Amino acid sequence: MTAKIIRINPEQLHETPGYHHITVVETGRTAYLAGQCPLDRNGSLVGPGSVEVQVDQIVVNALAALAAVNAQPQHVVRSVIYVRSDDRDVLGTAWRQLTASALGPAFTSASTLLGVAQLGFEGQLVEVDLTVAMPG
């Protein structure tokens, strides 16, 4: 059974830069991916000090995690992006790079972008949390 995913932007709510205010999953199973971090296959942090390099690694990791459950970016129904910064330009850079990447369709569903004080790994600047409506 294939999940039916409906994305909604009510007219009464503000326009968004690409995501939808509401994502409804009618049927199917759900997968919850752990926060995708900018770590290589050996567990080493990639791109210390560079949001851009870390986002690239997160995209690689997230695509691998999605493939492991036979899903693709368009099956993502909720995303949370954590950026270790209080600078709106840095948050915007992470958002634009993620939405322009091969993972981009994941961010058309309900999405939240947060500036945070700290992430789990020394030098980590970005993390992405994804929820997936499993395809049939």
Side-chain angles (χ1 to χ4, degrees):
M1 176 182 294
T2 300
K4 180 178 178 184
I5 302 169
I6 302 167
R7 295 172 176 92
I8 304 167
N9 275 330
E11 290 182 18
Q12 300 85 346
L13 298 178
H14 66 85
E15 289 188 31
T16 69
Y19 66 89
H20 286 78
H21 285 285
I22 302 164
T23 304
V24 178
V25 179
E26 293 287 338
T27 58
R29 298 180 312 143
T30 305
Y32 302 89
L33 278 58
Q36 298 300 295
C37 300
L39 304 178
D40 65 17
R41 191 172 185 162
N42 297 319
S44 298
L45 181 76
V46 172
S50 174
V51 167
E52 293 87 352
V53 172
Q54 291 192 11
V55 166
D56 285 344
Q57 185 65 49
I58 287 169
V59 168
V60 168
N61 294 351
L63 291 172
L66 289 170
V69 293
N70 296 315
Q72 296 178 12
Q74 66 266 23
H75 298 117
V76 171
V77 295
R78 175 88 173 112
S79 65
V80 181
I81 304 158
Y82 303 92
V83 182
R84 187 175 178 218
S85 180
D86 63 357
D87 183 329
R88 288 186 190 280
D89 290 337
V90 174
L91 274 70
T93 294
W95 173 258
R96 285 186 298 277
Q97 188 173 347
L98 284 164
T99 59
S101 75
L103 189 59
F107 305 104
T108 63
S109 292
S111 187
T112 300
L113 172 63
L114 299 168
V116 298
Q118 185 71 305
L119 289 166
F121 294 95
E122 181 76 29
Q124 181 181 358
L125 301 175
V126 185
E127 186 164 332
V128 175
D129 181 10
L130 303 173
T131 303
V132 182
M134 299 293 291

